[in-house]
Amino acid sequence: MSEPVSALNKAGFDGIAHVQEIGLQGMITLRGNLAAKDLKAAASAVAGVAMPGVNEANCEGERGLCWMSPDELLVLCPYDVVQANTAQLQQALTGTHALAVNVSDARAVFRVSGPVAREVMAKLCPVDLSPAAFSPGMFRRTRMAQVPAAFWMVDEQTFQIVCFRSVAQYVFDLLSVAAQPGSAVNLF
Amino acid sequence: MLTLQCPYCGVAADETELSAGGEAHLKRFGPGSSEEEFHDYLFTRENPRGVHFERWRHSHGCGKWFHAARDTQTLEVFGTYKAQTTEPPKDIRDAITAKRPGWTWRDVA
Ligand SMILES: [Zn+2]
């Protein structure tokens, strides 16, 4: 077997916030009727957390469920069990109009952390990131400059970002520029 | 700058998060239609200065298509509604009438 390597091999950058590619993360795209009992049960069984509401992320450590759209969830799990978890989902949803695909190697995952992490993200996304509008537990799909991205907050000072693997270097460079030393705006 | 609320995820989406999809509520004419009908379906579009109905997609968000009613001159948004709608719903038409009495658009009003 080949040895899996994440897009940027855990590259990091230190500025007004710390930018880190976190390495391998198991990610499964699950599409189907999110109101269906079978699907909810299968997703929760694999992720070990309850179903998130609209625009919410329900995460614990490397596991979690993120609301992507009215018919799509992102299931998070440790990378080494992602194939087994995908098979488990497919097995549980046999005969149901649903789709579970392992997309771990098609994505890259970053963390931006520090007291001004909100500012770094706000420079790049058309999203209200004031503490009153966006807080841990919420989930947002949007764009970062020229590319699609999705993120949620692990805690009050940490964002976790998912983007396509093919634009991982671009997103790392974006975040690094937005986090340049001396570039704090002190907006929030 | 235009901000439309996506009726599926509820996000107040900035224009840069959306893709424009052209005029709303077109009736498709395909095989079996007259040349005149097919021509109009392909090419004839409203181009109003004022009240207009459009299709938009929350392409950098939840990915869903939806409808929007807005004023092309002032960029005022009267409302958004789901794609599974063949004509503008009454609350949207009422909202427009409240602000643009006497408005017209194709055979909707
Ligand atoms: Zn949406």
Side-chain angles (χ1 to χ4, degrees):
Chain A
M1 273 292 280
S2 55
E3 187 194 337
V5 177
S6 70
L8 303 181
N9 216 357
K10 299 191 179 180
F13 176 85
D14 267 310
I16 58 170
H18 181 64
V19 178
Q20 184 77 52
E21 197 233 12
I22 68 164
L24 299 168
Q25 163 74 54
M27 282 173 274
I28 304 164
T29 285
L30 176 60
R31 299 202 75 146
N33 177 4
L34 301 193
K37 232 191 266 176
D38 294 7
L39 188 142
K40 288 200 266 192
S44 286
V46 162
V49 299
M51 276 287 285
V54 174
N55 297 326
E56 286 179 4
N58 208 354
C59 300
E60 274 175 32
E62 282 185 280
R63 292 192 173 274
L65 293 175
C66 304
W67 191 94
M68 295 286 279
S69 92
D71 55 9
E72 181 177 348
L73 285 179
L74 180 65
V75 182
L76 303 171
C77 65
Y79 186 87
D80 57 2
V81 295
V82 69
Q83 289 191 15
N85 281 179
T86 308
Q88 186 187 332
L89 273 174
Q90 288 165 344
Q91 180 69 34
L93 294 169
T94 305
T96 313
H97 185 61
L99 179 79
V101 178
N102 173 10
V103 295
S104 312
D105 298 323
R107 305 276 189 273
V109 186
F110 295 91
R111 275 193 182 183
V112 175
S113 53
V116 293
R118 282 180 185 277
E119 285 197 2
V120 173
M121 294 301 291
K123 288 179 190 178
L124 301 169
C125 305
V127 179
D128 183 352
L129 289 174
S130 63
F134 198 85
S135 53
M138 293 184 183
F139 184 83
R140 185 68 144 85
R141 283 175 83 179
T142 182
R143 64 188 295 157
M144 293 177 71
Q146 302 295 319
V147 297
F151 58 78
W152 66 97
M153 294 182 87
V154 177
D155 57 50
E156 193 46 51
Q157 298 194 350
T158 311
F159 284 84
Q160 186 145 329
I161 302 148
V162 175
C163 69
F164 289 115
R165 185 184 180 113
S166 57
V167 294
Q169 185 68 52
Y170 175 81
V171 168
F172 180 77
D173 292 346
L174 273 183
L175 289 167
S176 302
V177 170
Q180 283 298 301
S183 71
V185 188
N186 300 316
L187 179 63
F188 300 127
Chain B
M1 186 59 79
L2 192 62
T3 303
L4 298 176
Q5 189 181 21
C6 172
Y8 293 94
C9 66
V11 160
D14 180 89
E15 192 174 339
T16 57
E17 216 172 84
L18 304 165
S19 305
E23 185 175 324
H25 306 302
L26 292 177
K27 184 177 181 223
R28 183 176 182 275
F29 287 93
S33 62
S34 70
E35 287 194 0
E36 178 96 334
E37 286 170 332
F38 188 61
H39 168 274
D40 286 352
Y41 161 64
L42 275 187
F43 301 115
T44 309
R45 295 291 181 270
E46 295 295 295
N47 186 22
R49 186 176 71 173
V51 175
H52 197 26
F53 295 88
E54 293 169 314
R55 303 172 75 224
W56 286 84
R57 191 167 89 90
H58 195 188
S59 50
H60 280 83
C62 71
K64 297 297 175 193
W65 282 99
F66 61 94
H67 288 128
R70 67 180 184 106
D71 188 310
T72 58
Q73 185 175 15
T74 63
L75 296 193
E76 180 176 4
V77 178
F78 302 114
T80 54
Y81 48 104
K82 293 189 175 184
Q84 291 77 11
T85 316
T86 52
E87 57 182 32
K90 187 171 184 309
D91 60 320
I92 298 283
R93 284 182 282 134
D94 289 348
I96 301 171
T97 303
K99 292 186 166 160
R100 302 283 188 281
W103 65 282
T104 59
W105 191 83
R106 285 195 184 258
D107 55 3
V108 170

